[in-house]
Amino acid sequence: MGISRDNFHGLVLAVSSSIFIGSSFIVKKKGLKKAGDTGTRTNLEAENFLNNLASFSSLCTVILGEVANFAAYAFAPAILVTPLGALSIIFSAVLAHFILKEKLHIFGVLGCVLCVVGSTTIVLHAPQERNIVSVREVWHLATEPGFLVYAALAVIAVSALIFYAVPRYGQTHLIVYVGICSLMGSLTVMSVKAVSIALKLSFSGMNQFVYFQTWIFTIALDTFNTAVISPVYYVMFTSFTILASMIMFKDWDSQNASQIATELCGFITILSGTFLLHRTKDMGNTTSKPDEEAPVFGNTNNRTPETAT
């Protein structure tokens, strides 16, 4: 199945975002390792310089990644852009293996492969972006009964989590805070998409910032945080975002059941790969005995010559 021009642009931007964000961790950690190798602890000036340089470089890389991710929503539907955020985990893991010499366990490699396969499946079967000519059209979609009901339920659920669940279970159940961020994040992405569409149309000669709807979406965008901080958050955030986009932008209206099922299979494949990669990320760096070590990426036999006999 082919891919439209806008979806291709969104794909390139989303993948670029993942590369920048995945690389930011490596840049930061590489700088910290160099700072630790400067010599004695009395060499604080050089160490602080390297720390600050690493932090600044990492911040710039993250900003570039977020800008690319923001722009991706102007071209492609959320069902294509949001799941590709998992690729940042792959780039981070692979770069850590080759640059930081942090061994990637064989199951981590399998997780990376699953993420790539799932992402490819979604890219090849993603619906085409809805043709929107004005932010007022986005506003009309956002004020339809279906999305208003979803937004109201999301706000009610978040309020219940904040005022009831957080005081009682906030310190013992990760799902409480993750649920709050994921639900509000799904609404934020809709604002991200609205603002990015407004910028895209404005740059093409149709100024959208004369409409009050654009500024409301911008205020919503500035209020909440959409960063993916863990695989659990990734699962919930992506799921709720796809649901919100499906309700608001009706992404799946132009697709048949087979295409939708294929996209869901791709999404589940990405989730499986992300979970596997996260659960095994430290297995390649354990200090177990040679006979007990499992294969790592690029080395399927970790036993020493003495123990190989």
Side-chain angles (χ1 to χ4, degrees), residues 96-282:
H97 173 81
F98 288 106
I99 297 178
L100 301 180
K101 307 304 179 183
E102 296 180 356
K103 295 180 180 180
L104 185 60
H105 193 273
I106 188 65
F107 291 115
V109 178
L110 178 59
C112 292
V113 172
L114 288 174
C115 288
V116 172
V117 171
S119 300
T120 303
T121 302
I122 289 179
V123 167
L124 293 179
H125 295 84
Q128 292 190 8
E129 175 71 339
R130 187 188 185 101
N131 186 25
I132 294 177
V133 297
S134 171
V135 171
R136 286 184 293 185
E137 186 177 348
V138 181
W139 181 263
H140 174 72
L141 294 172
T143 54
E144 287 187 347
F147 186 74
L148 289 177
V149 169
Y150 172 81
L153 291 175
V155 171
I156 292 172
V158 168
S159 300
L161 288 172
I162 292 176
F163 296 108
Y164 177 79
V166 168
R168 294 170 174 80
Y169 310 110
Q171 301 300 317
T172 57
H173 293 73
L174 173 66
I175 198 69
V176 174
Y177 289 108
V178 170
I180 294 172
C181 295
S182 299
L183 285 166
M184 295 311 299
S186 69
L187 299 180
T188 304
V189 168
M190 298 304 101
S191 295
V192 168
K193 190 163 182 64
V195 175
S196 61
I197 289 174
L199 288 171
K200 177 184 175 184
L201 294 173
S202 296
F203 287 143
S204 67
M206 296 177 288
N207 185 14
Q208 300 296 305
F209 288 88
V210 297
Y211 304 126
F212 76 93
Q213 293 95 333
T214 300
W215 297 106
I216 292 179
F217 284 127
T218 304
I219 292 172
L221 171 62
D222 188 53
T223 304
F224 304 107
N225 181 13
T226 61
V228 179
I229 58 175
S230 71
V232 177
Y233 186 12
Y234 171 78
V235 171
M236 293 188 65
F237 172 75
T238 306
S239 300
F240 283 125
T241 298
I242 290 177
L243 177 61
S245 181
M246 181 179 65
I247 295 173
M248 180 173 170
F249 291 98
K250 303 175 177 60
D251 290 331
W252 285 342
D253 277 3
S254 61
Q255 296 189 296
N256 56 40
S258 177
Q259 291 172 317
I260 295 173
T262 303
E263 290 170 18
L264 289 176
C265 288
F267 178 48
I268 293 173
T269 303
I270 294 178
L271 298 185
S272 302
T274 303
F275 177 78
L276 186 61
L277 183 59
H278 177 72
R279 293 289 294 177
T280 62
K281 64 181 181 179
D282 295 324

Side-chain angles (χ1 to χ4, degrees), residues 28-43:
K28 174 73 172 180
K29 195 165 184 178
K30 186 70 173 178
L32 293 176
K33 291 183 68 174
K34 283 187 176 181
D37 295 337
T38 54
T40 63
R41 296 296 296 178
T42 57
N43 195 3

Side-chain angles (χ1 to χ4, degrees), residues 54-87:
S55 299
F56 178 74
S57 300
S58 178
L59 177 62
C60 291
T61 309
V62 169
I63 291 175
L64 287 174
E66 293 299 337
V67 170
N69 186 64
F70 180 88
Y73 282 107
F75 294 95
I79 191 174
L80 169 62
V81 177
T82 307
L84 293 181
L87 295 180

